[in-house]
Amino acid sequence: MRPLFLTVVCFLFLSTAPALAATCGNGPNGFEAWKQDFIANSKRYGLKQRTVNSALQNVKYNSKVIRLDRNQKSFKLSFQQFYAKRVNNAMIRRGQKLGKTYARLFNRIEKKYGVPAPVILAIWGLETNYGGYLGNMPVLQSLATLAYDCRRSKFFTNELVNALKIVQRRDMTPGEMRGAWAGEIGQTQFLASSYMKYAVDYDRDGRRDLIRSVPDVLASTANYLQKKGWRRGQPWGPGTANYRVIREWNKASVYVQTISVMADKIAN
């Protein structure tokens, strides 16, 4: 039998010990405790606590982000339905026009990275209509919400950490980081982890700016594809090595096929 005084001590310890924040949750309850725990342990991620506290202090749980995460219907469409929904002739013509406007830039990028203009233009157009709409949701709020949510907590915790590293490195401020509901950033919608790995300062202004700098946007997209195995001078249609590289950009088959077909149309 356990001695009485040990039972009392254990009871007192359990009753007075602070509750540990949950590693994830479903719904807003517990989010604030999780956030404070994340801030307190920011050093384990290679982050400065002062930076993280400043960046996340006003971040709240966003139920809209969770609803959007649970309701991704576009990728359930057939290719014909998806293409018709996302691409039209005006987009193709604009891509061709931008290819001419930035011809010298595209030529330099292809010479360095091996990725031709039509493929980059297709991604640029499909992701944000050539920078026309980057999304208006606060990236850190979206990523913190998804990192706390149990469905893909590990994946989005990594994205949140990388987004905070972008802030810490002063490439972007928290206020500048606005994008899609899942935290994608910039004119070709890089996840924060891809931003850290593949974004380049092509215009040499001292920071990698995928929001305002077209040279940085286009070169970073080419760099991503090159690092994923793009084969210079080879086609990108179904069954090719480069088609498999496009799949690294987005795993959804309808998305990959749309990029490939759109790039063909822009090239013609």
Side-chain angles (χ1 to χ4, degrees), residues 230-231 234-247 260:
W230 188 270
R231 297 188 183 180
Q234 295 192 16
W236 55 76
T240 66
N242 285 338
Y243 192 83
R244 291 192 291 274
V245 173
I246 297 173
R247 189 175 295 279
S260 176

Side-chain angles (χ1 to χ4, degrees), residues 168-179:
Q168 185 167 278
R169 197 175 53 195
R170 298 183 180 179
D171 274 345
M172 302 173 70
T173 67
E176 290 172 327
M177 297 183 77
R178 302 184 74 84

Side-chain angles (χ1 to χ4, degrees), residues 139-237:
V139 165
L140 293 177
Q141 178 169 272
S142 295
L143 292 179
T145 298
L146 291 165
Y148 169 68
D149 182 63
C150 287
R151 193 169 89 86
R152 290 187 287 171
S153 179
K154 184 177 180 180
F155 176 86
F156 281 108
T157 297
N158 180 59
E159 294 304 325
L160 176 60
V161 168
N162 278 285
L164 289 164
K165 286 182 178 179
I166 293 169
V167 173
Q168 185 167 278
R169 197 175 53 195
R170 298 183 180 179
D171 274 345
M172 302 173 70
T173 67
E176 290 172 327
M177 297 183 77
R178 302 184 74 84
W181 65 264
E184 299 95 336
I185 304 167
Q187 295 192 35
T188 54
Q189 298 287 274
F190 271 44
L191 289 170
S193 58
S194 294
Y195 199 116
M196 288 295 294
K197 290 178 184 176
Y198 307 112
V200 296
D201 176 19
Y202 198 74
D203 62 10
R204 299 183 182 181
D205 70 347
R207 66 175 185 166
R208 301 181 290 183
D209 184 354
L210 302 192
I211 293 178
R212 290 170 293 268
S213 171
V214 169
D216 287 4
V217 168
L218 303 182
S220 296
T221 305
N223 184 47
Y224 179 100
L225 295 172
Q226 182 202 51
K227 292 296 194 298
K228 294 295 185 179
W230 188 270
R231 297 188 183 180
R232 182 186 297 268
Q234 295 192 16
W236 55 76

Side-chain angles (χ1 to χ4, degrees), residues 89-109:
N89 290 334
M91 283 181 67
I92 300 299
R93 290 194 297 270
R94 184 154 185 236
Q96 292 169 335
K97 183 176 180 180
L98 287 168
K100 294 176 182 177
T101 300
Y102 293 107
R104 293 180 63 184
L105 174 61
F106 276 117
N107 288 338
R108 293 198 304 270
I109 287 172

